[in-house]
Amino acid sequence: MTNITGIQIYDKMKDWQKQHEANAIKTSNALYAAKDDNTYNAIYEEYFTKTEEIGYEFDFMEGKDSTNEDDYNEQILKLGQGEIATMDTDGDGEVSLDEYILAETADLNENDDKDMQAEAYTMSTLLFNIIDQGLGSSDSSGSLSAEELASFYKNLDQFNLDENLNGYLSGEFDGKFNIDEASQFATFLINNMIKPETYDELKQIYLESL
């Protein structure tokens, strides 16, 4: 049976991300329709005001000390457990590839073109494989456990962007996710762990199946 421990903090994190995504989409649409520099400036000002209101960072420690190893590991595992509870549709306590893809592509709709759909399926599939096979707690079992998902979030915690927006793993863990870094992390993993030809071949398979 699915362990629902961590579902509340996981939901808070996802809500934080979705608020930022909505703000970015609203801004993009407004910029597309803007007519002059004054309008552009007002749109950007509104975007940054809303971003600050939502919060640039998500603190998953819930008031605990991130330098305390036991507390940190407990909190990072909660995120993994929460994701399992959200994605595990058959209640077996793990997340299969189909369950993972279903959750990760839930926002797709009939208005999205085939290229966008294929890219979403490709990204989801490759990210699943990275979590299952290429991170600290990976066991290559073909399904994801709470521990494997926690390992993903631990790596996200140490992921930083430099002044040129290039990603790197810092080796430092503060119990907080930055929205700019969180939005780039999946792409960073795929770019650094998957060959471009593998990405292209898989995307082509999805394109042909749609």
Side-chain angles (χ1 to χ4, degrees):
M1 297 295 292
T2 300
N3 184 341
I4 64 170
T5 302
I7 189 67
Q8 290 183 327
I9 188 172
Y10 176 77
D11 282 350
K12 288 179 181 178
M13 180 191 69
K14 295 304 291 185
D15 180 64
W16 170 75
Q17 290 178 316
K18 287 183 178 298
Q19 288 186 64
H20 279 293
E21 289 170 5
N23 187 34
I25 292 171
K26 179 182 177 181
T27 301
S28 179
N29 291 338
L31 288 172
Y32 180 78
K35 303 297 184 182
D36 53 56
D37 288 344
N38 288 335
T39 306
Y40 288 135
N41 292 337
I43 292 168
Y44 278 118
E45 183 177 349
E46 182 178 354
Y47 168 78
F48 286 114
T49 298
K50 183 63 176 180
T51 299
E52 188 171 349
E53 177 185 316
I54 298 167
Y56 285 95
E57 293 183 327
F58 178 80
D59 186 343
F60 60 81
M61 290 304 298
E62 297 183 300
K64 297 179 181 178
D65 182 3
S66 63
T67 64
N68 182 296
E69 185 175 357
D70 289 340
D71 285 348
Y72 183 90
N73 290 336
E74 177 185 356
Q75 292 302 116
I76 206 79
L77 182 59
K78 279 186 179 182
L79 291 175
Q81 292 168 332
E83 188 159 7
I84 291 286
T86 299
M87 294 184 173
D88 178 23
T89 57
D90 63 9
D92 67 354
E94 295 189 333
V95 172
S96 67
L97 175 59
D98 287 344
E99 288 172 328
Y100 190 81
I101 292 175
L102 180 65
E104 289 294 301
T105 61
D107 290 336
L108 290 176
N109 60 66
E110 59 185 15
N111 295 321
D112 295 321
D113 61 32
K114 286 188 176 182
D115 190 77
M116 181 180 294
Q117 293 180 51
E119 187 162 326
Y121 284 116
T122 301
M123 291 281 289
S124 299
T125 301
L126 294 177
L127 192 57
F128 176 95
N129 290 332
I130 288 171
I131 298 171
D132 184 43
Q133 301 173 21
L135 300 181
S137 296
S138 299
D139 61 12
S140 302
S141 67
S143 61
L144 302 184
S145 65
E147 288 77 13
E148 286 175 304
L149 290 164
S151 183
F152 169 83
Y153 288 114
K154 185 171 183 179
N155 278 280
L156 171 56
D157 188 17
Q158 67 163 326
F159 178 64
N160 288 337
L161 296 172
D162 64 20
E163 63 274 9
N164 297 314
L165 301 181
N166 295 314
Y168 66 98
L169 299 178
S170 67
E172 298 178 354
F173 307 90
D174 63 2
K176 298 176 183 178
F177 301 144
N178 175 282
I179 189 56
D180 292 330
E181 293 158 357
S183 64
Q184 296 295 319
F185 185 53
T187 300
F188 168 81
L189 287 178
I190 289 172
N191 287 344
N192 282 274
M193 300 181 73
I194 302 295
K195 294 179 180 179
E197 54 267 30
T198 300
Y199 183 98
D200 293 339
E201 289 170 3
L202 182 58
K203 182 178 178 180
Q204 186 60 36
I205 291 171
Y206 278 121
L207 275 171
E208 293 173 358
S209 70
L210 293 171

